[in-house]
Amino acid sequence: MSAPFVMFSTIHIATLCVILALMISLFTFRKKFQFDMQKTRRIERGIALSLIGMEILYHVWMVQSERWRLVDSLPLELCSLSLLVTAFLLWTGNKHVVDFVFFAGIGGALQAIVTPVLDMDFPHFRYFHFFYTHTMIILTGLYFIWIKGYRPTFKGVVKTMIVLNVLLPVILLVNKLVDGNYMFLRNKPENGSLLDVLGPYPWYILSLEAVAFLIFTLLWLGLRKSTRQSRSVSGD
């Protein structure tokens, strides 16, 4: 039985440092990642398969440990949806889903790794599943900007907000049908998160919309600046 995860413990801070180092390395050594097209596609699809494989193993583990329930095990959390979209993007290169990974994926995954809703600590499988999948969502979004040459736009921010608001009534309906709390649309997480400072239910949902828009906009501004720096260094 694994020890419970403790937010901002030594292992949590060390994990955040590793993730930050990976992000910095991806940007710093971006020119060295310019593989030939065939090799690049193999790597991208390999990572896509690893993400799907990790998610399948996670559900197998939940079933075997009698944790799988309709109320909280469907892939309807923002990061679960982002993981599936990220795998689809890596496998297909479909540019129509890039914005969702840029903004919803990176924005949601960053918040998740800083304030994890997690009950299993290192070295449990769930710890590795959680941080691997969230880290790869972030790195995939950055990879498509810094290495594949996609440029984030404010239009992409708006499109992502529209997609999330289209999903909102669907998630609310599922929550009602299964008595769930997907995307925390009925209650806040018990072990603390960003939602604690966004007001009581249901007002924190509106606050969360504003925070999401702000985070997506900041990501757009920050990633746009890094893209310009990347192109300047490479001489494009």
Side-chain angles (χ1 to χ4, degrees), residues 20-219:
L20 179 60
L22 290 172
M23 294 165 62
I24 294 172
S25 297
L26 184 66
F27 181 76
T28 303
F29 301 107
R30 59 197 178 278
K31 292 178 69 175
K32 296 184 181 298
F33 289 97
Q34 299 292 339
F35 306 111
D36 62 86
M37 183 62 68
Q38 186 176 0
K39 187 174 183 180
T40 298
R41 295 301 300 134
R42 288 199 301 266
I43 293 173
E44 291 170 0
R45 290 189 169 186
I47 295 173
L49 290 174
S50 75
L51 289 173
I52 296 300
M54 284 291 283
E55 192 69 1
I56 291 173
L57 288 174
Y58 172 54
H59 284 269
V60 170
W61 168 73
M62 285 196 293
V63 170
Q64 291 181 340
S65 58
E66 299 182 348
R67 288 170 169 258
W68 201 100
R69 305 178 301 174
L70 278 175
V71 68
D72 57 11
S73 300
L74 297 173
L76 295 178
E77 303 291 359
L78 179 58
C79 286
S80 298
L81 294 170
S82 296
L83 184 152
L84 297 176
V85 176
T86 297
F88 177 78
L89 173 60
L90 286 167
W91 188 265
T92 66
N94 191 315
K95 64 181 181 180
H96 296 295
V97 300
V98 173
D99 285 329
F100 190 88
V101 175
F102 280 171
F103 300 113
I106 292 178
L110 283 174
Q111 188 273 330
I113 64 174
V114 173
T115 58
V117 179
L118 184 62
D119 60 353
M120 298 290 185
D121 204 354
F122 178 89
H124 195 276
F125 163 77
R126 172 57 176 150
Y127 164 88
F128 287 104
H129 166 268
F130 182 90
F131 283 105
Y132 176 74
T133 54
H134 286 81
T135 299
M136 292 313 302
I137 291 170
I138 295 169
L139 293 181
T140 297
L142 298 177
Y143 165 78
F144 271 82
I145 296 172
W146 294 337
I147 297 174
K148 299 286 284 188
Y150 289 90
R151 301 189 66 181
T153 65
F154 186 72
K155 182 179 178 181
V157 173
V158 175
K159 285 168 56 180
T160 304
M161 290 298 300
I162 290 173
V163 170
L164 290 177
N165 279 278
V166 168
L167 287 172
L168 190 64
V170 177
I171 303 300
L172 285 170
L173 176 61
V174 173
N175 281 339
K176 183 175 179 63
L177 292 175
V178 303
D179 194 29
N181 189 31
Y182 293 105
M183 291 195 183
F184 305 115
L185 294 179
R186 297 181 72 183
N187 298 289
K188 300 177 184 180
E190 295 179 357
N191 61 339
S193 75
L194 173 65
L195 300 183
D196 290 337
V197 298
L198 297 183
Y201 178 87
W203 305 113
Y204 74 80
I205 298 176
L206 295 177
S207 300
L208 194 58
E209 289 256 6
V211 170
F213 182 77
L214 176 61
I215 291 174
F216 296 171
T217 302
L218 291 175
L219 282 172

Side-chain angles (χ1 to χ4, degrees), residues 2-15:
S2 175
F5 181 84
V6 179
M7 194 180 303
F8 302 126
S9 61
T10 301
I11 189 63
H12 184 203
I13 293 174
T15 302

